Amino acid sequence: MMQAFSRRTVERLTRHTLFGLALPAFQSFLDINVRKEIDKDRRVIVAAAEALRAGRAPDISDTEQLLHEARGIDQAFLQQAAPFPLAIDIRYPDIEPTRRQRIECLLAMSYRLLAHWQSTPRFRQAVAQAYARKQFHTALGKILHLYALETKALNRSVRLPTFASLARDKLAETIYLEMEVIAGQLASELTDKAYRHFQRE
């Protein structure tokens, strides 16, 4: 899902003249970025599975641990991104409120789906048992929306000379708006795919 989100966002951004010129040079940077987000999401799903095995629901301690692990992933990302001509200073007070919400939403969804998956071999059946179609669409859309918001905040962590800060903010807003379009489309497509053979509304 995250790879599709990133790929489609890049495709839309290339329609903008500035991004069309700049993106080819930073494709590797973008690939590293999406891999770190996939790693974060994987850890959230693992935490949900571990809570389920322990016979308890995820709680605030899980969220705090995942926030801590996310910072470690960020630092590894910054080391990988060091060769690129960007200076990134992640301002966690700006980012972590949204990141916390995203982790909580994904943790709750993962736990709920995994709990229902235990009683059926088919994942789509588990989805249909866990959520009404509209509920699933809303939950998925919220997670993608929060990812777009977090990315917007992260983009503003890129250090640029003062005269270029307005351009940076405009670029961050453009990326955010395109991500919001993709988030809506992707949430609808994945919901359609999950509920293709189920009528639960």
Side-chain angles (χ1 to χ4, degrees), residues 105-106 109 131 133-144:
C105 290
L106 181 57
M109 173 179 267
Y131 291 94
R133 182 189 179 101
K134 186 175 181 180
Q135 289 177 324
F136 182 76
H137 180 272
T138 298
L140 193 57
K142 183 177 182 180
I143 290 170
L144 294 173

Side-chain angles (χ1 to χ4, degrees), residues 19-93:
F19 285 103
L21 294 173
L23 279 172
F26 290 101
Q27 187 64 57
S28 295
F29 174 84
L30 295 170
D31 290 342
I32 293 171
N33 181 65
V34 75
R35 284 201 297 270
K36 81 173 169 60
E37 294 306 319
I38 291 172
D39 191 15
K40 290 175 187 176
D41 290 349
R42 179 186 62 79
R43 295 192 187 199
V44 173
I45 295 168
V46 168
E50 290 175 347
L52 184 63
R53 281 196 294 269
R56 63 175 182 84
D59 57 28
I60 190 171
S61 65
D62 296 298
T63 300
E64 293 301 326
Q65 177 61 30
L66 288 164
L67 281 169
H68 175 73
E69 292 179 9
R71 286 196 178 202
I73 294 172
D74 287 340
Q75 294 309 306
F77 161 72
L78 292 177
Q79 291 179 1
Q80 290 181 294
F84 295 95
L86 293 173
I88 304 174
D89 181 17
I90 299 178
R91 298 191 288 268
Y92 284 105

